[in-house]
Amino acid sequence: MDPSETRSVRLPRLAFVVRILFALFLFGTGIMTMSFATRGYPVGQTPDEVGQFMIALQKTGYLIFWVGFLKTVAGGLMFFPRTAPLAILMALPYAFNILLYVIFFAHKYLVVGLPDFAACAFLIYCYFDWYRPIFTGPTSTATTKLAGGEDAL
């Protein structure tokens, strides 16, 4: 890494609190989701639209266990500052999927889905310096080093 390149966290205190709360949420709901995958969803005798949707997901063999496993791993990694940027990127597809789910299907869970996505988006903003190299093009020195130096074929 270039010494002039610094990776800092924007709003570090707030980012720490949001990161730990989001990690607890992901880890806890990941364990819960894996248990739903193994024991089935707790729905009533006459399930509402959300319950019918969850039963349909279970019948189709949707990868609920693996979604829960990914949430648990991402939540666990988010507890550690060094692995937090990776965990945030791992949680982004889940958070976006939940946002779409609560907007289009389960309106009564907006109180959970919106903060879930907002926490992920906020953490991406806070850790954006860690992701900046993804968006920059290759430099001439990096290309020269990868090619084997100035004398490479």
Side-chain angles (χ1 to χ4, degrees):
M1 184 167 80
D2 187 13
S4 64
E5 181 182 330
T6 60
R7 292 182 181 170
S8 62
V9 178
R10 297 178 182 132
L11 306 168
R13 289 182 182 167
L14 183 59
F16 174 76
V17 171
V18 172
R19 179 174 57 90
I20 296 301
L21 290 175
F22 193 43
L24 287 169
F25 174 78
L26 285 175
F27 193 80
T29 59
I31 298 292
M32 183 180 67
T33 304
M34 286 191 300
S35 73
F36 286 161
T38 57
R39 295 183 305 177
Y41 289 99
V43 294
Q45 294 292 356
T46 57
D48 59 351
E49 293 85 16
V50 175
Q52 291 173 357
F53 181 74
M54 299 310 278
I55 291 171
L57 282 179
Q58 186 176 5
K59 286 181 181 179
T60 61
Y62 184 70
L63 305 172
I64 294 296
F65 178 82
W66 296 108
V67 170
F69 182 75
L70 180 73
K71 286 170 49 177
T72 305
V73 169
L77 289 174
M78 210 172 289
F79 284 115
F80 305 103
R82 187 175 185 106
T83 57
L86 173 64
I88 294 164
L89 286 183
M90 288 173 63
L92 180 62
Y94 158 75
F96 185 69
N97 187 20
I98 290 300
L99 177 68
L100 295 177
Y101 174 70
V102 298
I103 287 174
F104 294 116
F105 293 111
H107 304 293
K108 64 183 178 182
Y109 296 112
L110 278 170
V111 71
V112 176
L114 289 177
D116 181 29
F117 180 76
C120 192
F122 175 73
L123 288 172
I124 287 175
Y125 166 76
C126 290
Y127 283 88
F128 193 76
D129 288 345
W130 291 78
Y131 309 129
R132 191 174 307 278
I134 297 171
F135 302 109
T136 60
T139 61
S140 61
T141 57
T143 307
T144 305
K145 287 179 185 177
L146 288 174
E150 295 289 332
D151 301 324
L153 291 174

